[in-house]
Amino acid sequence: DAGVTQSPTHLIKTRGQQVTLRCSPKSGHDTVSWYQQALGQGPQFIFQYYEEEERQRGNFPDRFSGHQFPNYSSELNVNALLLGDSALYLCASSLNQGLYEQYFGPGTRLTVT
Amino acid sequence: KQEVTQIPAALSVPEGENLVLNCSFTDSAIYNLQWFRQDPGKGLTSLLLIQSSQREQTSGRLNASLDKSSGRSTLYIAASQPGDSATYLCAVSRYSGGGADGLTFGKGTHLIIQP
């Protein structure tokens, strides 16, 4: 049974560019959440998707947007990249709007230069 | 706004010792609490999940307790091994709108077990 997968593993972008990160949830899971983790910090919640809609959003600007597809996979898009967007981006999946245990993927390391 | 604090920030102990990691949260109206392990540059591995109605959960050498009213949880690791070296993160969620809100994390405890 495959766990949560994310792609790409690493990414280097230039300030002002746009980036798309991808996540496939654990088999059977219908809810996907995205987190940003800066070096030495705990993950910060970006948003959660359920039934292809953004169910909840953390304190992140509109430059951060997402999408969930009918197969429950998800994308995170970040526009107008800033140096401060450099971080590890983590995807987590769970059942039924996050009511059960959260399972995390390996993350995507984004570096903005 | 929920805030999660983990103490100590770092811990280095010799192999074989039993140890306790602490987590506190400011808003006791939580839905559940989850402990994770993170190896350097990697994703998070779920260790234990405690629902708000539970007092503790156990998995192998790990035991997590929850005192919701005082806003505290502890992770007890028995007979520590070098392979336990990692950062341990505590996170809480709140129930709202038919589901659980996104997790609020502490900054973690960086644990080193000396061989």
Side-chain angles (χ1 to χ4, degrees):
Chain A
D1 177 27
V4 180
T5 60
Q6 292 186 243
S7 64
T9 304
H10 295 90
L11 205 51
I12 300 175
K13 289 287 188 178
T14 303
R15 272 182 303 174
Q17 286 188 319
Q18 177 264 342
V19 68
T20 298
L21 310 182
R22 295 176 177 82
C23 171
S24 291
K26 183 178 169 64
S27 179
H29 283 186
D30 57 11
T31 303
V32 173
S33 301
W34 287 91
Y35 294 82
Q36 179 194 66
Q37 186 178 26
L39 206 60
Q41 302 294 315
Q44 296 289 317
F45 172 69
I46 303 174
F47 41 54
Q48 183 187 90
Y49 275 85
Y50 174 71
E51 293 188 338
E52 301 180 52
E53 291 191 359
E54 183 182 291
R55 178 182 167 270
Q56 193 207 7
R57 188 180 186 91
N59 189 26
F60 278 80
D62 291 346
R63 298 187 298 109
F64 290 77
S65 63
H67 188 77
Q68 185 180 36
F69 299 94
N71 67 353
Y72 306 121
S73 67
S74 177
E75 289 182 349
L76 164 65
N77 300 292
V78 187
N79 295 321
L81 285 167
L82 304 173
L83 294 179
D85 294 332
S86 295
L88 180 67
Y89 288 84
L90 296 163
C91 169
S93 76
S94 61
L95 283 167
N96 197 10
Q97 304 177 78
L99 288 175
Y100 301 92
E101 190 169 1
Q102 305 269 335
Y103 292 84
F104 281 76
T108 293
R109 171 69 64 187
L110 172 65
T111 302
V112 182
T113 61
Chain B
K1 178 188 172 186
Q2 178 74 272
E3 292 184 0
V4 178
T5 302
Q6 291 189 243
I7 295 174
L11 184 63
S12 180
V13 300
E15 180 178 5
E17 284 200 5
N18 302 322
L19 49 98
V20 175
L21 308 183
N22 296 293
C23 170
S24 62
F25 44 94
T26 55
D27 185 353
S28 63
I30 64 168
Y31 176 71
N32 61 33
L33 182 145
Q34 207 166 342
W35 281 94
F36 295 91
R37 167 192 173 132
Q38 186 173 33
D39 293 294
K42 305 295 184 183
L44 277 60
T45 300
S46 178
L47 298 174
L48 290 164
L49 170 72
I50 310 177
Q51 298 291 350
S52 60
S53 58
Q54 297 175 317
R55 297 286 296 191
E56 66 178 330
Q57 283 285 349
T58 298
S59 176
R61 295 183 293 108
L62 303 179
N63 175 277
S65 66
L66 173 64
D67 185 342
K68 184 181 164 184
S69 61
S70 68
R72 294 179 183 179
S73 176
T74 60
L75 179 65
Y76 176 83
I77 302 176
S80 58
Q81 303 170 358
D84 295 331
S85 298
T87 296
Y88 290 79
L89 292 155
C90 166
V92 297
S93 71
R94 186 184 62 173
Y95 182 86
S96 72
D101 289 354
L103 294 169
T104 300
F105 283 84
K107 291 184 178 181
T109 293
H110 181 55
L111 176 64
I112 296 175
I113 308 297
Q114 306 155 10

